Amino acid sequence: MVEIDELMVMTSHKYLKEWSDCSDIVGSAEWCVDDPRADVRYEDAVAWFIDRFGDGVAEAEKKFHEDDYVPFDVIIMDALDPQVNIPFAEVLYKQPAFLQSIYDSLTEDGII
């Protein structure tokens, strides 16, 4: 999970515990974020995808851990409504570099 707002995640965990309770899954941590299989990063997801899967990221330029370049089978975006006039929302729907990096980060059969 790539989420820019760590405080939002912690607040959600405090007040909406049932939304991230993985205790009913055998072998999982009580809080899904604490599960060792979860890769949680508190950073800008737009930059994260462009830096790893954007045009111009050649093999020789790769500066992150090799696991950061593994394509995804599924991407779930909790995005803003494109009809709401919020300047940042435009990046999610109208920035070609970001949209292409999302597409390029998927496996051949991957879905968004």
Side-chain angles (χ1 to χ4, degrees):
M1 177 175 86
V2 183
E3 168 57 54
I4 199 167
D5 191 346
E6 183 175 4
L7 180 59
M8 187 276 306
V9 173
M10 298 307 167
T11 302
S12 296
H13 175 58
K14 182 176 180 179
Y15 294 104
L16 302 167
K17 285 187 179 286
E18 63 277 1
W19 288 16
S20 59
D21 180 2
C22 289
S23 63
D24 60 338
I25 302 171
V26 176
S28 291
E30 184 175 323
W31 184 33
C32 299
V33 173
D34 286 339
D35 193 291
R37 297 168 292 182
D39 183 0
V40 180
R41 298 157 186 255
Y42 299 107
E43 55 188 290
D44 181 355
V46 172
W48 192 92
F49 277 95
I50 291 173
D51 289 348
R52 288 155 181 84
F53 297 99
D55 287 342
V57 179
E59 286 294 321
E61 296 176 11
K62 292 186 175 179
K63 57 187 175 188
F64 303 102
H65 189 274
E66 64 186 40
D67 290 346
D68 282 354
Y69 301 96
V70 176
F72 297 95
D73 295 318
V74 178
I75 294 176
I76 300 170
M77 293 177 58
D78 180 16
L80 299 167
D81 185 337
Q83 296 177 356
V84 175
N85 190 17
I86 299 173
F88 179 76
E90 290 186 15
V91 172
L92 300 174
Y93 303 104
K94 296 181 181 178
Q95 185 186 46
F98 173 63
L99 296 172
Q100 188 64 49
S101 68
I102 291 287
Y103 176 78
D104 291 343
S105 71
L106 292 168
T107 60
E108 187 175 316
D109 295 324
I111 60 171
I112 299 174

